[in-house]
């Protein structure tokens, strides 16, 4: 959620920090701030402002900052206290000697705040962060340096947090710390960086270091040192970042999201690269579980949140069909609280684009305490969830800047299909030629997605104009089309701020049909013909809503003319098996949400109240 940047070197710290914050705007935020150490040793210079980064830049133009080569910055997503100037980061210590920025939640901040207030401290904000600032400065006042102060304070804190701090009396270092929250080091020549992710510094260096759990990092112009919260020596893991800043640019599109929708053919193709060996056998290089361990799996529980949860619902259909293993799909936020039945024969599959989703992270930690194996499906190399899992399938979607996920979702689907097929291969529940056939069908998907983008873009833009005044939308699907309906409704809620609901079409008569009124737009994801009785049952549902005055927009495979009498609008889809239909059926719904939000004048890339990476429970 919050974006953090730290810089020490020879460049203008203001320029580096502000540009780093700009590259992390995709994380979602409601205020921004910066703190620099004055090059003339006149203390800290702090500017912060609620609203977008442009507000901060305007403030800096009105109240210029001093020259500096060391500084920290922050974009905040409100947790404790509203999005106000006072609650914006950075926060200062009692005497203003220290400035700190923070991502996460300090769960015991209330009792610590009472302790500080009893000692005479006046806290100026509603945030938990300011408590940490006062505690850190109190440690500095005892004679400790900033690194030791950070170690001591972190040992007192409960919750999930990342801190980055500077001390006006120690102008050569920046100190950061992390627990259950992301922080990465950028390593340059004569300069070093800290950031919530590599986007903060990728313009300047492609060499990075990931930090372990409960670690403190100190950066100076000339080096990086790592220690544990207890002061013990530590080390990070160096790695090379294999994408550059151009990967995060809009390439002429009006929105990052539109760019990312159109990147989906390439993203799906990349997700499939290198997945078969010379003999045609599936190989998942990141699969660190042995075949014997996988053969011993008798139950799978998929845990995820938001869009990733809907990918998990599709995975359930695929795994149960191809592998004959019972699958449950759980919301991460609910998983631990229902006392789930787990043992060594349970495989927990955690789906998270960022790899830092707090609910999912805590869920896998609970699963590991019950001796279950954990496999992560993730887009972010080196993030926490993959590091704490027994195996990982990376989706290789590349950077996704828009808060609402598009190519992240489709590549999660690909990873889910690959997992299902790999399990079928290991367990012998499908013959090799059957698995090869499905993989070949997956490999045809990029061209099919490109065809859908080309054929449906104009239609979705026109429909957005026609339904500009509509306040409610319904989405219907069956089988693997049901999660597509849920995802279509979520995208509309996220981007257009319209009431939208997704339902299994068979549930219409059990209550939702009461919502249907004259002119209500209803999107219908029609299963391919020949899939049991699903197609005919779906047609019946379409007839039911149309008879009550709904406008039906039907997503139908090419050549299926049986829908025409009941559809006000038809969006043609390539012919694909029903289990793979989400790969093509989701795309027009993404386009519609993007077009409607654009027509309504909304910020498509950064919808209100949302954050890209949800790192608090």
């Amino acid at each position: 959620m919050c974006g953090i940047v730290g810089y020490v070197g020879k460049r203008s710290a203001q320029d580096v920090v502000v540009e780093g914050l700009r590259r992390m705007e995709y994380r979602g935020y409601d205020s921004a701030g910066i703190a620099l150490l004055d090059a003339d040793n006149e203390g800290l210079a702090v500017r912060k402002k609620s609203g977008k980064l442009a507000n901060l830049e305007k403030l800096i133009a009105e109240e210029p900052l001093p020259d500096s080569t060391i500084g920290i910055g922050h974009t905040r997503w409100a947790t404790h206290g509203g999005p106000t100037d006072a609650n914006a980061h950075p926060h200062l210590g009692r005497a203003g000697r220290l400035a700190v920025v923070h991502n996460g939640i300090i769960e015991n901040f209330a009792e610590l705040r009472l302790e500080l207030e009893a000692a005479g401290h006046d806290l100026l904000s509603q945030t938990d962060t300011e408590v940490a600032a006062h505690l850190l400065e109190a440690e500095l006042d005892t004679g400790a340096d900033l690194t030791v102060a950070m170690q001591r304070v972190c040992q007192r804190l409960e919750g999930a947090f990342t801190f980055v701090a500077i001390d006006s009396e120690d102008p050569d270092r920046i100190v950061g710390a992390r627990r259950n929250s992301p922080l990465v080091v950028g390593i340059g020549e004569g300069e070093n960086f800290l950031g919530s992710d590599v986007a903060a510094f990728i313009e300047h260096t492609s060499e990075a270091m990931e930090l372990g759990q409960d670690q403190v990092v100190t950066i100076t112009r000339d080096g990086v040192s790592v220690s544990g919260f207890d002061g013990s020596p530590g080390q990070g893991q160096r790695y090379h970042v294999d994408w550059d800043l151009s990967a995060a640019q809009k390439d002429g599109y009006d929105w990052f999201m539109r760019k990312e929708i159109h990147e989906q053919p390439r993203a799906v193709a990349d997700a499939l690269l290198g997945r078969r060996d010379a003999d045609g056998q599936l190989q998942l290089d990141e699969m660190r579980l042995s075949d014997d361990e996988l053969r011993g799996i008798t139950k799978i529980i998929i845990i995820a949140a938001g869009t990733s949860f809907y990918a998990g619902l599709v995975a359930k259909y695929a795994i149960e069909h191809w592998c004959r293993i019972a699958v449950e799909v759980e919301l991460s936020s609910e998983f631990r609280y229902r006392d789930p039945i787990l043992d060594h024969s349970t495989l927990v599959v955690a789906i998270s684009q960022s790899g830092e989703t707090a609910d999912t992270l805590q869920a896998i930690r609970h699963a590991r305490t019950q001796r279950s194996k954990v496999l992560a499906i993730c887009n972010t190399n080196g993030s926490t969830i993959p590091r704490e899992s027994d195996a990982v399938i990376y989706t290789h979607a590349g950077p996704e800047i828009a808060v609402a996920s598009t190519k992240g979702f489709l590549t999660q689907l690909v990873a889910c299909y690959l997992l299902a097929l790999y399990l079928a291969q290991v367990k012998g529940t499908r013959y090799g030629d059957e698995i090869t056939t499905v993989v070949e069908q997956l490999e045809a998907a990029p061209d099919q997605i490109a065809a859908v983008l080309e054929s449906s873009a104009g239609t979705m833009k026109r429909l957005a104009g026609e339904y500009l005044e509509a306040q409610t939308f319904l989405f219907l699907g069956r089988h693997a089309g049901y999660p597509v309906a849920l995802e279509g409704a979520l995208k509309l809620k996220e981007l257009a701020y319209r009431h939208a609901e997704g339902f299994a079409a068979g549930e219409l008569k059990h209550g939702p049909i009461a919502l249907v009124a004259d002119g209500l737009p209803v999107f219908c994801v029609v299963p391919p013909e020949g899939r049991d009785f699903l197609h005919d049952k779906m047609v019946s549902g379409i007839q039911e809503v149309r008879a009550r005055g709904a406008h039906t927009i039907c997503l139908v495979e090419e050549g299926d003319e049986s829908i025409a009498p009941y559809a006000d609008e038809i969006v043609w889809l390539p012919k694909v098996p029903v289990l793979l239909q989400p790969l093509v059926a989701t795309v027009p719904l993404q386009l519609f949400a993007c077009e409607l939000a654009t027509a309504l004048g909304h910020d498509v890339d950064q919808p209100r109240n949302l954050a890209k990476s949800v790192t608090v429970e």
Side-chain angles (χ1 to χ4, degrees):
M1 293 181 291
C2 302
I4 289 174
V5 184
Y7 173 73
V8 55
K10 300 176 181 178
R11 307 173 196 257
S12 163
Q14 175 183 321
D15 292 345
V16 173
V17 170
V18 171
E19 285 307 308
L21 294 177
R22 194 186 318 283
R23 287 192 294 274
M24 290 193 296
E25 285 189 292
Y26 72 91
R27 299 174 71 89
Y29 68 102
D30 49 47
S31 62
I34 184 173
L36 304 179
L37 286 179
D38 193 322
D40 296 325
N41 295 320
E42 294 184 6
L44 288 168
V46 178
R47 305 287 186 271
K48 54 185 184 175
K49 197 70 177 173
S50 62
K52 294 297 186 182
L53 186 60
N55 295 353
L56 175 64
E57 292 180 292
K58 181 181 178 183
L59 176 63
I60 293 172
E62 295 168 351
E63 303 175 18
L65 288 163
D67 293 336
S68 176
T69 57
I70 179 170
I72 60 177
H74 187 270
T75 52
R76 176 178 184 255
W77 188 76
T79 55
H80 294 77
T84 65
D85 292 352
N87 288 332
H89 297 210
H91 286 283
L92 302 180
R94 185 180 191 180
R97 170 182 172 178
L98 169 139
V100 65
V101 294
H102 164 223
N103 181 19
I105 289 178
I106 303 170
E107 293 182 349
N108 60 332
F109 95 99
E111 60 194 71
L112 293 170
R113 184 178 182 117
L114 289 173
E115 174 188 315
L116 288 167
E117 290 173 339
H121 290 246
D122 293 321
L123 283 85
L124 306 178
S125 75
Q126 300 168 292
T127 68
D128 51 350
T129 308
E130 191 178 9
V131 170
H134 281 239
L135 291 173
L136 284 165
E137 192 170 283
E139 292 292 343
L140 294 177
D141 290 342
T142 68
D145 64 30
L146 185 54
T147 301
V148 172
M150 186 69 77
Q151 291 165 350
R152 291 176 180 173
V153 169
C154 286
Q155 290 182 73
R156 297 193 63 191
L157 303 181
E158 299 171 8
F161 49 80
T162 294
F163 295 110
V164 172
I166 50 176
D167 175 7
S168 61
E169 296 185 17
D170 189 359
D172 297 320
R173 79 170 83 189
I174 300 176
V175 177
R178 71 171 295 265
R179 169 183 285 167
N180 297 329
S181 184
L183 181 65
V184 63
V185 183
I187 299 172
E189 295 183 6
E191 60 183 0
N192 288 299
F193 309 78
L194 291 173
S196 299
D197 61 41
V198 296
F201 52 74
I202 193 62
E203 182 181 14
H204 306 293
T205 181
S206 57
E207 298 303 314
M209 176 188 292
E210 66 180 45
L211 299 172
Q213 187 77 306
D214 286 7
Q215 286 192 325
V216 171
V217 59
T218 301
I219 64 169
T220 65
R221 291 171 178 81
D222 302 317
V224 177
S225 62
V226 180
S227 62
F229 285 180
D230 61 359
S232 60
Q235 61 181 15
Q237 184 174 338
R238 292 278 297 263
Y239 65 97
H240 180 78
V241 182
D242 58 5
W243 53 273
D244 58 24
L245 187 58
S246 65
Q249 295 175 336
K250 294 181 185 176
D251 289 341
Y253 291 99
D254 54 346
W255 302 110
F256 280 114
M257 182 177 178
R258 196 185 305 278
K259 169 179 175 281
E260 288 154 7
I261 289 172
H262 286 270
E263 286 176 343
Q264 289 179 124
R266 179 73 265 164
V268 168
D270 288 346
L272 290 164
L273 285 176
R275 302 300 194 181
R276 290 197 287 177
D277 62 20
D279 298 323
Q281 291 285 100
L282 276 176
Q283 57 176 13
L284 303 178
D285 293 335
E286 308 93 334
M287 179 63 70
R288 298 187 293 268
L289 294 171
S290 70
D291 286 358
D292 284 343
E293 287 176 309
L294 291 175
R295 291 188 190 102
I297 297 298
T298 60
K299 181 174 73 171
I300 294 174
I301 300 178
I302 299 172
I303 53 175
T307 287
S308 298
F309 178 76
Y310 304 145
L313 292 176
V314 176
K316 172 182 171 70
Y317 288 109
I319 294 170
E320 290 187 339
H321 179 68
W322 291 329
C323 307
R324 310 312 297 163
I325 303 174
V327 179
E328 301 173 14
V329 187
E330 294 278 348
L331 290 166
S332 303
S333 57
E334 295 293 324
F335 178 69
R336 288 185 296 157
Y337 305 107
R338 70 168 182 86
D339 193 17
I341 300 172
L342 301 164
D343 60 25
H344 67 281
S345 65
T346 305
L347 175 66
V348 174
V349 178
I351 308 177
S352 167
Q353 180 187 316
S354 68
E356 304 291 349
T357 310
D359 294 322
T360 307
L361 180 58
Q362 297 305 323
I364 69 168
R365 288 174 175 166
H366 176 73
R368 289 177 67 85
T369 66
Q370 305 299 308
R371 300 183 301 137
S372 295
K373 296 290 189 291
V374 175
L375 181 145
I377 292 175
C378 183
N379 186 41
T380 309
N381 198 324
S383 55
T384 304
I385 289 173
R387 290 206 310 269
E388 297 193 15
S389 299
D390 299 296
V392 55
I393 301 175
Y394 286 112
T395 58
H396 304 301
E400 188 175 65
I401 306 303
V403 169
S405 182
T406 52
K407 65 178 181 175
F409 176 65
L410 259 60
T411 53
Q412 285 176 347
L413 292 178
V414 171
C416 289
Y417 294 136
L418 291 170
L419 172 61
L421 293 169
Y422 189 82
L423 290 171
Q425 177 179 282
V426 170
K427 285 178 165 285
T429 54
R430 283 290 183 269
Y431 292 112
D433 58 344
E434 294 177 301
I435 294 172
T436 298
T437 296
V438 178
V439 173
E440 290 173 349
Q441 291 167 339
L442 283 171
E443 290 171 342
D447 289 340
Q448 293 167 332
I449 294 167
V452 173
L453 283 167
E454 183 176 355
S455 65
S456 65
T459 302
M460 292 300 107
K461 186 172 185 178
R462 173 175 55 80
L463 289 174
E466 292 176 6
Y467 295 122
L468 200 60
E469 301 302 321
Q471 299 300 309
T472 298
F473 297 80
L474 295 188
F475 293 77
L476 305 179
R478 296 198 71 130
H479 197 263
Y482 170 44
V484 175
L486 294 171
E487 172 64 5
L490 177 63
K491 282 292 159 286
L492 208 58
K493 284 181 273 198
E494 289 177 316
L495 303 180
Y497 318 148
R498 290 292 193 253
H499 174 235
E501 296 291 343
F503 293 106
E507 290 298 294
L508 267 175
K509 56 182 65 67
H510 296 286
I513 201 166
L515 294 171
V516 178
D518 190 51
L520 176 73
V522 180
F523 287 82
C524 307
V525 184
V526 182
E529 287 187 290
R531 172 63 190 181
D532 303 324
F533 301 105
L534 279 177
H535 181 274
D536 293 343
K537 296 292 186 184
M538 187 68 194
V539 172
S540 297
I542 296 170
Q543 289 174 307
E544 288 174 353
V545 296
R546 198 154 188 259
R548 289 159 175 81
H551 288 178
T552 54
I553 304 101
C554 298
L555 283 61
V556 186
E557 73 172 358
E558 295 167 345
D560 182 1
E561 300 293 341
S562 65
I563 300 297
Y566 317 111
D568 292 289
E569 192 78 42
I570 291 180
V571 179
W572 297 110
L573 303 175
K575 289 191 174 185
V576 295
V578 67
L579 280 172
L580 304 189
Q581 194 183 44
L583 287 171
V584 293
T586 303
V587 175
L589 305 184
Q590 296 170 338
L591 287 169
F592 179 76
C594 181
E595 293 292 0
L596 185 59
T598 300
L600 290 167
H602 299 329
D603 187 333
V604 172
D605 288 334
Q606 297 177 57
R608 68 187 185 196
N609 303 334
L610 299 182
K612 183 66 173 176
S613 178
V614 183
T615 54
V616 296
E617 290 188 90

